[in-house]
Amino acid sequence: MDAGLAAVCGALAGSVATIGAAFATGWAQREGARISARAEHLRQRREPRHSVYKEFIAAASSFSEICLSFRWAEIEFFTDERVASLQTASDGIKEAWLNVVLAGPTNVGLVASEVRDFAVDFTLSARMFAVAAVIEADGHGVRAPWMGPALIKYKESVAKMPQDIQRFTEIAQAALDNDGSKSLK
């Protein structure tokens, strides 16, 4: 190989190496920018989630406290006033639930949905007992046969709410602590 050809091959190899280095540097910069953008996005998502989760936990805890007052209740306890306070607390959960579902991630929304569903069912059952209490009072103390077992099951269900709140809290904490390295869906 003569000197001229060697110089051309050397120049060609140098330019290929320079182009390769430029591509590698560009790729690394793009990846770095993408990682930074992802981290910023996660930070921006975490901040509002914290307040949304806090609001939901507060609403669920308020509902749970009212539920405890129904734990030892007999049918006469189910007055319109008490059921209305339960309904107001249930409505608070439903409002906070919507924000949780929108803030995500999916697994947090699913547990929040379970809490909301329990609150709705518990409140509807309380309303049913309130109506039954009025009917019983008007019927001179005659109790429907379904009411005894239903009331026992209702009272036992009160213990579910604090467990669901705890489960929601744990999943919400995991979502807030996630740095983006694992998928929460």
Side-chain angles (χ1 to χ4, degrees):
M1 177 179 301
D2 66 352
L5 185 58
V8 168
C9 286
L12 183 61
S15 65
V16 168
T18 302
I19 291 171
F23 278 127
T25 301
W27 177 82
Q29 287 175 343
R30 276 193 311 278
E31 283 300 307
R34 196 169 76 182
I35 290 169
S36 295
R38 174 83 175 136
E40 179 63 19
H41 173 72
L42 289 173
R43 186 189 66 75
Q44 289 176 353
R45 293 274 295 172
R46 255 193 312 268
E47 288 175 6
R49 282 180 178 173
H50 179 272
S51 61
V52 165
Y53 296 166
K54 184 178 177 181
E55 178 186 329
F56 184 80
I57 292 169
S61 295
S62 175
F63 182 84
S64 182
E65 288 174 19
I66 295 171
C67 284
L68 289 175
S69 69
F70 284 80
R71 186 171 201 156
W72 310 113
E74 289 305 319
I75 196 70
E76 301 81 25
F77 183 82
F78 293 87
T79 63
D80 286 338
E81 183 180 282
R82 288 187 178 115
V83 173
S85 71
L86 195 62
Q87 181 67 53
T88 300
S90 177
D91 291 344
I93 288 177
K94 287 188 270 185
E95 287 178 30
W97 166 82
L98 182 58
N99 293 329
V100 169
V101 171
L102 291 174
T106 304
N107 63 339
V108 175
L110 290 174
V111 176
S113 294
E114 290 177 23
V115 171
R116 182 217 48 203
D117 293 347
F118 175 81
V120 168
D121 291 346
F122 193 86
T123 303
L124 287 174
S125 295
R127 191 163 304 287
M128 177 190 68
F129 286 123
V131 169
V134 170
I135 292 171
E136 182 178 305
D138 289 346
H140 307 292
V142 177
R143 181 170 285 186
W146 60 266
M147 209 177 315
L151 191 57
I152 290 169
K153 184 174 170 86
Y154 183 80
K155 291 176 185 181
E156 290 171 352
S157 72
V158 171
K160 183 178 182 324
M161 191 63 173
Q163 295 167 355
D164 286 349
I165 294 170
Q166 180 61 36
R167 205 166 98 235
F168 174 82
T169 301
E170 291 169 1
I171 290 174
Q173 285 173 340
L176 291 172
D177 290 342
N178 184 15
D179 62 359
S181 61
K182 49 187 166 174
S183 174
L184 292 175
K185 292 192 179 179

